[in-house]
Structures are given as C-alpha cells and as structure tokens.
Amino acid sequence: MKYKNNFNPSISDEVIFDEILEEKKSIGYYNLPFCSTADYKTYAKTVTQKNIVVIGIGGSTLGTYAIYKFLKHSRDLDKNLLFLETTDPIDIKAKVASIDLSDTLFVVISKSGTTVETIAIFKYINALITCNSTNTVVVTEDGSKLKTFAEKNNIRSFKIPKNVGGRFSVFSAVGLLPLAIVGIDIDKILQGAQKSHDNFFQKKEAYERLLKKARFLVEYKNSFNINVVFSYSSRLEGFNKWYIQLWGESLGKVDSNSVRQGLTPVGIIGPIDQHSFLQLVIEGKRDKTLTVIKVENFDNDLKIPSVTLDGLEEMDYLDNLNFSSLIKNQADATIEAINNLHDIPCDVITIEGINESAIAALMYEFELLTSLCGKFMHVNTYNQPGVESGKVILKNKLNKGDI
C-alpha cells in the first residue's frame, strides 16, 4: 500500500527548537556572530583608496547595504561605499562615472565564483582599469573559479564558508570585510548578533517571541499570506530589501509533501507609504500581517522651525517639534489605527538607536525567524531551486549565442 499526505500536523515548540539545534551543527550562519574579525580589520588598515566598490548581487550585497545605509549618516566615514549589482547599463555607467577609478578598491563577491551578473560587471571594470593585487580583493568559496582567478593573479581573497548561503552571509566576510574597510565597527556588529543569538538559544524573551510569531505566520498562512514590514526610517530601506530576499528565497518552496508553500514579503517605509500602501492595509483584503519597526533614538535634533506661513497659521502646532518626535508619533498613530480595527495581525519592533549592535540584532532575529518558519512549513530554507533553473536557462542561451 502506498500512502501520501499533506497533513503536516502542528509541531511543539520544543520539537522545533530541537530541530534548530540539530540544524545548527551543519548550517553555518547560526555561528557567524562568534567568528574572528582580526583578518578583516588587519586588511582594512592597508586600504588607502577612497572609493570602495562592491561587485556582487543578491546575498553578496543586500546585507552589507542594509547595515551601511542604516549607519552611514551617523558615522564620520572617510571612504565611500558603492555597489555594482545590476546589469542595467545606465546604472553601471552612472556609478562608474561618479568615482575616480584610480582611487578605488574593488571587492568582488560571489560564493560560486561564476555569478553571471558579477563576472559581467567585473569584465567591464577590467576593460577600464587593470584589476590586480593593488586594487582588488575577492570574497568567494574555496575551490571556486573566482578563487582560482585570485590565486593566479596574486589577489587577496577571503572565504565564504561552504555551509553559509548568500542571503544568510552578512556576518561573514561578505559583509564584515567591506564594512571594516569603510570604517564601521564590525566587532559591535557581531556583538549585536551575539545578543540575539544568546537570547534565543538560552530560551529567553526572543525564544518565546520568535516561536510564537513563526507559528502564527505559518498556521495562518492561508488567511494572511502577505507579510508587510513597515519601517519608520528611511535608513531601513536597505534592511527592507534584504528582508524581501531572505523571506522570499527561503520560504517560497515545495514542501516535503510536494505542496507549494510561501509567505510573500513586502517592505515599505514610513511615513512615505502612509500615503499609499497603508490604504491597502487598512481597507483592503484581510490577507496581510504587519510588522512595524520603529527607531527610538535617531541621534538627530533637527527641528521644525517656528515659521508662520501666510494662510497656514493653523499648522503652527508643528513649531519647534523635533522631526524625530514627529516620525515616532506618526508610527504610533499608524499602530493605533491598525490595532483599533482588531482584525489585522500586527507586531511592533523598537530599535533602541542608530548603531551597529541594533541593526545586527534585528537582522539576526529575522534570520532566526526565517529558519523557524521554514521548519514549521517543512521546507528546505537554504536552497533556491527556483532561482537556479533560471540561471541554467540563461547560461545555456548565452553559450549558444541565442541572444
């Protein structure tokens, strides 16, 4: 007798946690917060170039960009960090034209070493300037063709562990190396990730919170399939993009019973999207959960000046209000409006300030949440066969000259 089912009965928190502990032995991202930063900091001290250009795509850039975007306006950085991550020719030309190539270090990142977009852009850069040991560093997996290229040309390389997937790699050389080079404190980054790690694995507050959220998202996925992250700071725009890749590529899978699964990620920014997407959340179909991310301390005292505008005197109640206070109140008003409806699942995350530890703790928690959802959904969180099939088709077309 043959038997097949898609019941996937609810699993206890303890069973899920035990599965995560077992997975932790082979999936490398869990332990990245405890890696040594010495080599990255030593290399960073040798870099004299003003412009640092990361050549990569997806997991090779999004996490780094998320942290850099969050911190750069609060740090006195003497180097510029740019990302060449798309094959859009207009974007490539514009970014290249904006920098002095002779004063640029190129950080080429590809786990496989043969990422089409990355190598295509790197070829273009090599046509403009000679890339060698003085202006290029490589981040890749041992044994990759990019690693071979680096060895043949005496170019320094840093390793991406084989058991760390790209979208989970921000706390490896992928993120730590370029961030160290531009002057961001990578030790504080890892300290933030360590806090989230310990809080969860020591079964403290994060353990209860993340398991509860993951269970709800999966058990109610047929009712609330769209998961909206509403970040109340433009500095979190990079985080939103990183979250969308992490969530979509990890959880959009066929499960162990051949049933298609997935939770659709949406990232929006407040207060901008109060005037667009929030309307859909409030009065649209009840198929969305909402996570509001607030920043407690913007480390900025910019105020609305006491200026009376003829005909707009009724708006003088804004005078002398800090912009940081205004945006926090806008977030609170949105949260209250959502909660008053009683039928939109909503949680609120408050980041204590604009610092390395805060953004790293947030990102590590989202990585943990992704892994937990994957366990509840009975999917392989760490592969991406849907993406790989497109890569194969593209390479076959290009090899045949079918363009």
Side-chain angles (χ1 to χ4, degrees):
M1 180 176 71
K2 293 183 178 180
Y3 179 70
K4 187 175 183 180
N5 75 85
N6 64 350
F7 296 157
N8 288 343
S10 183
I11 311 171
S12 73
D13 288 353
E14 282 299 328
V15 168
I16 288 291
F17 185 71
D18 287 344
E19 289 186 7
I20 291 291
L21 287 177
E22 184 62 28
E23 184 176 271
K24 196 170 185 278
K25 298 174 183 178
S26 59
I27 299 299
Y29 93 82
Y30 288 106
N31 297 312
L32 287 179
F34 302 94
C35 70
S36 171
T37 61
D39 286 348
Y40 310 138
K41 293 186 292 185
T42 299
Y43 179 82
K45 292 177 182 178
T46 70
V47 176
T48 59
Q49 290 92 340
K50 180 178 178 60
N51 304 302
I52 311 302
V53 174
V54 174
I55 302 175
I57 193 170
S60 296
T61 59
L62 288 173
T64 309
Y65 176 70
I67 295 175
Y68 180 66
K69 171 77 172 176
F70 187 71
L71 296 172
K72 69 175 182 177
H73 295 299
S74 295
R75 298 292 180 270
D76 185 18
L77 305 176
D78 59 2
K79 297 184 187 299
N80 303 315
L81 182 59
L82 289 85
F83 299 85
L84 288 176
E85 54 188 343
T86 174
T87 50
D88 181 334
I90 295 174
D91 182 84
I92 295 170
K93 289 195 72 172
K95 286 181 178 176
V96 169
S98 71
I99 59 174
D100 178 2
L101 292 179
S102 66
D103 194 18
T104 298
L105 175 74
F106 299 98
V107 185
V108 187
I109 305 178
S110 170
K111 181 174 169 63
S112 69
T114 56
T115 308
V116 168
E117 297 87 351
T118 303
I119 302 305
I121 295 169
F122 190 42
K123 280 177 171 284
Y124 176 71
I125 295 299
N126 272 272
L128 303 178
I129 189 172
T130 301
C131 292
N132 54 37
S133 60
T134 68
N135 65 357
T136 305
V137 62
V138 162
V139 181
T140 190
E141 189 177 83
D142 278 346
S144 77
K145 292 183 178 179
L146 185 58
K147 171 76 169 179
T148 301
F149 166 84
E151 290 172 344
K152 287 184 176 180
N153 292 276
N154 296 314
I155 292 173
R156 179 69 186 273
S157 66
F158 290 85
K159 181 172 70 173
I160 304 174
K162 287 184 181 292
N163 62 354
V164 175
R167 59 189 176 275
F168 288 88
S169 66
V170 63
F171 301 121
S172 72
V174 169
L176 299 182
L177 180 65
L179 292 170
I181 292 171
V182 298
I184 289 172
D185 191 331
I186 60 174
D187 288 326
K188 289 182 179 178
I189 289 174
L190 292 191
Q191 287 166 13
Q194 288 167 16
K195 288 179 183 177
S196 289
H197 171 283
D198 292 347
N199 198 292
F200 176 77
F201 284 104
Q202 293 173 13
K203 293 189 174 182
K204 296 181 180 178
E205 186 267 340
Y207 170 85
E208 301 289 342
R209 173 165 44 81
L210 291 175
L211 275 163
K212 179 180 180 180
K213 183 172 181 177
R215 180 181 294 280
F216 178 90
L217 291 174
V218 175
E219 291 185 352
Y220 287 88
K221 66 181 183 297
N222 292 324
S223 299
F224 301 101
N225 183 254
I226 301 171
N227 309 123
V228 182
V229 165
F230 200 174
S231 299
Y232 268 84
S233 172
S234 60
R235 296 180 183 218
L236 287 165
E237 176 252 345
F239 169 82
N240 283 7
K241 290 182 176 181
W242 172 82
Y243 148 74
I244 288 170
Q245 187 207 11
L246 180 72
W247 207 244
E249 200 168 31
S250 297
L251 302 179
K253 302 286 173 62
V254 177
D255 72 12
S256 57
N257 289 301
S258 302
V259 177
R260 296 185 184 276
Q261 301 285 354
L263 295 166
T264 301
V266 174
I268 58 179
I269 295 291
I272 300 167
D273 290 310
Q274 285 182 196
H275 300 269
S276 55
F277 201 90
L278 184 59
Q279 173 64 34
L280 181 62
V281 173
I282 294 288
E283 293 196 337
K285 186 177 179 180
R286 292 299 187 255
D287 56 359
K288 305 166 195 69
T289 64
L290 192 69
T291 294
V292 180
I293 303 179
K294 298 172 53 181
V295 176
E296 182 62 32
N297 180 11
F298 280 83
D299 193 26
N300 188 296
D301 59 1
L302 186 68
K303 285 188 176 183
I304 302 168
S306 181
V307 175
T308 298
L309 301 175
D310 190 19
L312 291 172
E313 291 84 0
E314 67 182 71
M315 303 299 292
D316 284 352
Y317 65 84
L318 295 171
D319 289 359
N320 298 313
L321 183 67
N322 284 344
F323 277 99
S324 59
S325 178
L326 176 58
I327 194 171
K328 284 192 288 185
N329 277 280
Q330 288 172 307
D332 290 341
T334 294
I335 294 164
E336 185 174 342
I338 293 292
N339 288 338
N340 286 342
L341 296 171
H342 303 294
D343 62 356
I344 299 175
C346 177
D347 65 329
V348 181
I349 298 172
T350 302
I351 303 173
E352 66 267 23
I354 307 292
N355 57 65
E356 291 86 350
S357 178
I359 186 64
L362 177 69
M363 293 174 75
Y364 192 83
E365 280 211 6
F366 266 79
E367 290 180 336
L368 288 173
L369 179 64
T370 303
S371 294
L372 289 168
C373 285
K375 285 297 180 186
F376 278 118
M377 295 168 71
H378 303 273
V379 300
N380 183 339
T381 308
Y382 308 103
N383 65 0
Q384 50 277 331
V387 176
E388 295 303 323
S389 60
K391 291 180 181 179
V392 171
I393 292 170
L394 174 62
K395 287 185 178 181
N396 287 338
K397 282 180 174 289
L398 295 176
N399 283 329
K400 292 177 181 178
D402 186 16
I403 54 177

